[in-house]
């Protein structure tokens, strides 16, 4: 049996004080929200106890479906990379970014690029589906299980938390799912925003959810893991 632990929306608190310049735009609102509300909800001591329990259960793989940081400050990404490395080896942890990981535009190498080792395809998978839009989707195969990572994280205006995959990523997902089906693998799609947005306001949805649903319906997937809405 291949056991997977799934966690999401950690909103790690690294006690990094942003400068006034960094708080321009959307980050100013987000910082106030974090300081006076969200910080009490996402307490590091609780997360540490959760991760200690998770580690004791020794899962074969850990999936993290986004929102590791809060304001997308460069220092947050580096600290999150250190946290991931302390959790385990990159080949046993798969990560996809969330909307807070794209809270403000930050160059790839200074942002989620620092988590590249946790978001990279197996070498054997890179030659038959690579696209022109970066590293997503990525594919990892572990003991009959195929883990497929999507990136729905895009910068959005203040008070918005929507996501988008884009046509290229959705089309490549279809190719990947068909190929993996031929190998009789258990296909797990990992994405931050839920593929079914019923009940969520439009500003909080995956904007191309219908396109994702169509690909999943046409090609099949055994499981979809997501986060974002902070609800079961």
């Amino acid at each position: 049996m291949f056991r997977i632990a799934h966690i999401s929306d950690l909103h790690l608190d690294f006690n990094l004080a942003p400068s006034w310049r960094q708080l321009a735009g959307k980050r100013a609102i987000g910082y106030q929200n974090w300081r006076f509300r969200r910080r009490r909800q996402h307490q590091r001591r609780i997360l540490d106890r959760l991760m200690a329990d998770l580690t004791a259960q020794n899962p074969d793989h850990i999936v993290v479906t986004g929102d590791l940081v809060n304001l997308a400050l460069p220092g947050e990404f580096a600290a999150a990379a250190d946290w991931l490395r302390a959790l385990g080896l990159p080949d046993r942890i798969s990560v996809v970014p969330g909307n807070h990981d794209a809270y403000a535009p930050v160059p790839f190498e200074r942002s989620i690029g620092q988590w590249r080792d946790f978001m990279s395809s197996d070498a054997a998978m890179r030659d038959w589906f690579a696209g022109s839009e970066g590293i997503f989707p990525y594919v990892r195969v572990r003991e009959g299980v195929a883990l497929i990572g999507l990136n729905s994280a895009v910068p959005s205006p203040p008070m918005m938390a929507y996501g988008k995959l884009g046509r290229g990523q959705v089309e490549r997902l279809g190719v990947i799912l068909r190929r993996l089906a031929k190998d009789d693998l258990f296909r797990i799609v990992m994405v931050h925003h839920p593929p079914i947005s019923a009940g969520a306001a439009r500003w909080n949805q995956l904007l191309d959810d219908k396109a994702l649903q169509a690909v999943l319906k046409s090609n099949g997937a055994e499981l979809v893991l997501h986060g974002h809405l902070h609800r079961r």
Side-chain angles (χ1 to χ4, degrees):
M1 179 183 294
F2 187 74
R3 298 191 305 155
I4 296 176
H6 172 218
I7 54 179
S8 191
D9 296 78
L10 308 180
H11 296 283
L12 297 166
D13 181 7
F14 298 113
N15 294 316
L16 298 173
S19 66
W20 287 109
R21 184 175 182 180
Q22 289 175 323
L23 287 180
K26 185 176 180 178
R27 282 186 179 138
I29 300 173
Y31 181 66
Q32 295 302 315
N33 184 25
W34 167 254
R35 184 177 178 185
F36 295 109
R37 184 175 67 88
R38 192 182 293 271
R39 192 170 190 170
R40 290 193 292 270
Q41 298 171 348
H42 298 274
Q43 298 181 37
R44 185 62 179 266
R45 64 179 181 82
I46 296 175
L47 177 63
D48 289 344
R49 292 177 64 182
L50 168 69
M51 301 316 296
D53 180 74
L54 184 154
T55 302
Q57 296 187 52
N58 193 30
D60 298 297
H61 205 83
I62 299 173
V63 170
V64 186
T65 51
D67 278 5
L68 279 75
V69 306
N70 295 286
L71 303 177
L73 297 168
E76 286 186 290
F77 294 107
D82 291 339
W83 186 88
L84 288 168
R85 284 190 287 267
L87 181 61
L89 296 174
D91 65 347
R92 295 189 61 186
I93 302 172
S94 295
V95 175
V96 294
N99 57 289
H100 277 263
D101 306 320
Y103 207 75
V106 181
F108 177 79
E109 294 301 332
R110 296 180 60 204
S111 60
I112 64 172
Q114 299 186 60
W115 311 339
R116 184 191 290 269
D117 291 346
F118 301 90
M119 303 186 300
S120 59
S121 291
D122 294 338
M125 299 291 166
R126 294 173 190 160
D127 59 349
W128 56 267
F129 67 86
S132 60
E133 299 178 17
I135 65 175
F136 298 97
Y138 70 83
V139 181
R140 297 171 155 193
V141 177
R142 305 285 186 271
E143 298 183 29
V145 174
L147 297 151
I148 308 155
L150 301 177
N151 181 12
S152 64
V154 293
S156 59
M159 311 305 293
M160 300 287 180
Y162 57 71
K164 187 175 182 179
L165 295 169
R167 180 177 177 180
Q169 197 174 176
V170 172
E171 289 179 348
R172 290 198 299 280
L173 174 62
V175 173
I176 290 168
L177 291 173
R178 289 192 296 273
R179 170 68 180 268
L180 295 175
K182 295 178 181 179
D183 296 331
D184 196 28
L185 295 168
F186 189 96
R187 298 161 297 174
I188 300 178
V189 176
M190 306 172 295
V191 61
H192 180 67
H193 292 79
I196 299 175
S197 299
R202 189 61 177 166
W203 58 266
N204 208 23
Q205 294 181 1
L206 180 66
L207 297 182
D208 43 6
D209 57 350
K210 297 296 187 294
L212 176 57
Q213 291 169 27
V215 167
L216 294 173
K217 184 176 181 179
S218 298
N219 302 285
E222 282 63 55
L223 183 65
V224 177
L225 297 177
H226 68 81
H228 185 53
L229 295 181
H230 296 197
R231 287 169 174 79
R232 288 183 289 172

